[in-house]
């Protein structure tokens, strides 16, 4: 079982990373909206309810956020092929361009962070990241998420 030091360290590392990513995204406006665009860019169309679950956003907030993304011309609502009342959120051409910029900035940020890791420790960090990714993915699979 993890000890208090390990727990605190993981929480601090995650907090530092998230705060740095928010700073990197601040040039694009609202970081949460940038995260939505980034997710749609990487994974494709999704229902608003599913996006709400993935981002852990409030339903009332996400409706307004999606309305703003639609108004900016970055997202459109398309009828669901499986649910007559449902809609899927998808990126427009302008949204794909904006999301590509966002993802390039997130990649630049992550690369710059990894570049600060001493070369002799990079394999160890990579191995630790692989393990954490497997842990997160197993948790998502157990909850029926993808």
């Amino acid at each position: 079982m993890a000890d208090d030091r390990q727990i605190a360290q993981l929480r601090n590392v995650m907090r530092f990373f998230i705060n740095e990513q928010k700073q990197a995204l601040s040039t694009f406006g609202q970081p949460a909206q940038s995260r939505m665009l980034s997710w749609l860019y990487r994974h494709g169309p999704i229902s608003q309810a599913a996006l709400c679950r993935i981002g852990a956003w409030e339903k009332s907030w996400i409706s307004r956020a999606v309305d703003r993304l639609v108004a900016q011309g970055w997202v459109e609502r398309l009828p669901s092929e499986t649910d007559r009342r449902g809609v899927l959120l998808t990126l427009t051409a302008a949204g794909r361009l904006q999301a590509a910029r966002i993802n390039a900035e997130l990649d630049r940020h992550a690369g710059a962070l990894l570049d600060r890791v001493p070369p002799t420790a990079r394999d160890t960090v990579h191995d630790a990241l692989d393990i954490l990714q497997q842990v997160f993915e197993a948790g998502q699979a157990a909850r029926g998420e993808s």
Side-chain angles (χ1 to χ4, degrees):
M1 178 154 203
D3 63 37
D4 290 346
R5 184 188 66 77
Q6 293 166 326
I7 292 168
Q9 184 179 25
L10 178 60
R11 292 186 65 187
N12 282 333
V13 166
M14 297 299 290
R15 182 176 48 83
F16 287 139
F17 184 75
I18 290 168
N19 285 338
E20 282 194 13
Q21 274 208 322
K22 284 180 181 178
Q23 287 178 336
L25 291 175
S26 67
T27 61
F28 296 99
Q30 292 291 325
Q33 290 177 355
S34 294
R35 286 177 40 217
M36 286 181 203
L37 291 173
S38 176
W39 198 94
L40 285 166
Y41 183 76
R42 290 179 288 120
H43 301 286
I46 189 171
S47 72
Q48 190 166 302
L51 188 60
C52 189
R53 281 192 306 277
I54 290 165
W57 292 301
E58 295 291 325
K59 287 181 183 180
S60 60
W61 180 88
I62 199 167
S63 294
R64 291 188 304 273
V66 169
D67 286 345
R68 286 190 293 271
L69 293 173
V70 168
Q72 289 173 299
W74 292 336
V75 169
E76 61 184 338
R77 292 178 173 103
L78 299 177
S80 171
E81 294 178 5
T82 59
D83 179 358
R84 289 188 313 172
R85 294 180 297 160
V87 296
L88 294 177
L89 304 174
T90 188
L91 294 174
T92 64
R96 283 189 296 279
L97 184 61
Q98 179 70 351
R101 288 186 202 115
I102 289 167
N103 277 304
E105 177 59 23
L106 292 173
D107 288 348
R108 185 211 58 76
H109 166 257
L113 174 66
L114 291 171
D115 286 347
R116 296 190 319 241
V117 174
T120 56
R122 287 186 184 156
D123 286 342
T124 302
V125 169
H126 184 266
D127 291 344
L129 290 172
D130 276 342
I131 292 167
L132 284 173
Q133 182 173 344
Q134 291 170 19
V135 168
F136 283 126
E137 288 171 350
Q140 285 182 324
R143 292 186 302 275
E145 301 169 2
S146 56

